[in-house]
Amino acid sequence: MDVLRERHRIIRTAGTDLAVFEFGRDPAPGVPTMLLLHGYPDDHRVFHPVLRELAGTYHLVTFDSRNAGRSRTREGAGFTLAELVDDVFAVLAGVDAPGGVRLVGHDWGSIQAWAVIQDPRADGRIVDFTSISGPDLRHFSRWLRGRLRSPRLMYQGIGQMLRSSYIAAFQLPVLPELLWTLGLTRRYEFAARRNIGSDGVRGLALYRTIMFSAVEPAPRRPISIPVHVIVPLRDPFLSPHLVDGLEDWVENLTVTTVPGGHWWIASRPRAFAELLDPALRVADGGA
């Protein structure tokens, strides 16, 4: 049997037809459900390697965000963080997930997920959260301001600003679209070994809408569910020090560093799966 047997559906939200995919076991009492949120310039297929590792145990749900893959936005659709959060809850309402959902986010999917778990609608529905390479935006802002005000830690803040310099470049008109069209798409597809079509261009809306939006995110609130932050130490975009201070408002926090880059989740799927489910390591005879 193909463990990645795909069940596909469209879930209609305000402004978007979301392409939703289910893999692994069918939902049933006692079968855990895991929802995985992808980042930029990816779609749900970035998780295919780890889905193969988890499909024997989990009911797995992924979807292409409104800027990517087979999802399609309708006229007037926006890209605010609040709308992305609403998309997640629309998916949760549209799939069968007895017993709650384990939430996993990578890159923009992780940024999105941090906002999801602080939304009151998550209470009793999200069991735990695993974050990879995508910080909570309020924490990021406070962390960066704190580093830039501290002579002792200023180098960390400056280093992160350099890592994030591409965000400013994405605000330029026309040039980012040209770069994706003329070369970046081909280079990324070669590295990722799959096509992304126009996702690089479509996803620019995330940076142009959310990062400099006048709309404030919902107030940060303490998080009581278990949160596991996986930190790839060779991530060129995010400082490993960004986890500092999370313990002030995340009550049950685990931080794990891994020797990889931003797309470690795709290059080391077994190691990733074992962090999501330590029982897999035991099954392999590990400690």
Side-chain angles (χ1 to χ4, degrees), residues 85-279:
V85 169
D86 285 345
D87 286 348
V88 175
F89 284 107
V91 171
L92 288 174
V95 300
D96 189 9
V101 170
R102 301 190 63 193
L103 185 62
V104 179
H106 174 250
D107 187 80
W108 268 104
S110 179
I111 293 173
Q112 188 177 353
W114 278 108
V116 166
I117 64 173
Q118 294 174 77
D119 190 297
R121 290 173 290 180
D123 294 346
R125 303 177 77 177
I126 306 298
V127 175
D128 58 36
F129 168 45
T130 299
S131 165
I132 312 99
S133 296
D136 173 81
L137 290 183
R138 282 188 179 275
H139 175 77
F140 179 89
S141 178
R142 292 183 183 186
W143 180 92
L144 185 59
R145 290 197 306 269
R147 291 310 189 266
L148 294 178
R149 291 170 182 163
S150 168
R152 184 173 61 87
L153 299 174
M154 185 177 294
Y155 75 96
Q156 292 182 8
I158 293 173
Q160 181 56 56
M161 290 179 67
L162 292 173
R163 292 171 186 254
S164 300
S165 59
Y166 69 95
I167 296 175
F170 281 171
Q171 309 309 308
L172 298 173
V174 181
L175 181 60
E177 285 87 346
L178 281 176
L179 290 174
W180 276 108
T181 301
L182 297 178
L184 282 180
T185 296
R186 185 166 58 252
R187 289 180 60 185
Y188 185 81
E189 288 179 341
F190 178 78
R193 298 182 180 179
R194 59 179 178 79
N195 66 76
I196 62 169
S198 62
D199 287 356
V201 172
R202 292 170 66 192
L204 292 170
L206 292 170
Y207 295 92
R208 292 170 175 171
T209 301
I210 295 177
M211 298 305 295
F212 296 93
S213 173
V215 179
E216 286 288 324
R220 191 176 73 175
R221 66 171 184 159
I223 296 172
S224 58
I225 63 170
V227 174
H228 186 185
V229 180
I230 300 173
V231 181
L233 293 176
R234 295 197 294 271
D235 191 328
F237 308 116
L238 294 167
S239 167
H241 299 290
L242 273 168
V243 297
D244 295 346
L246 283 177
E247 68 279 0
D248 295 339
W249 57 288
V250 179
E251 297 174 8
N252 187 348
L253 175 67
T254 301
V255 176
T256 302
T257 59
V258 294
H262 190 76
W263 282 277
W264 175 85
I265 62 164
S267 63
R268 295 293 305 279
R270 184 65 187 185
F272 181 28
E274 289 176 355
L275 287 179
L276 294 174
D277 186 351

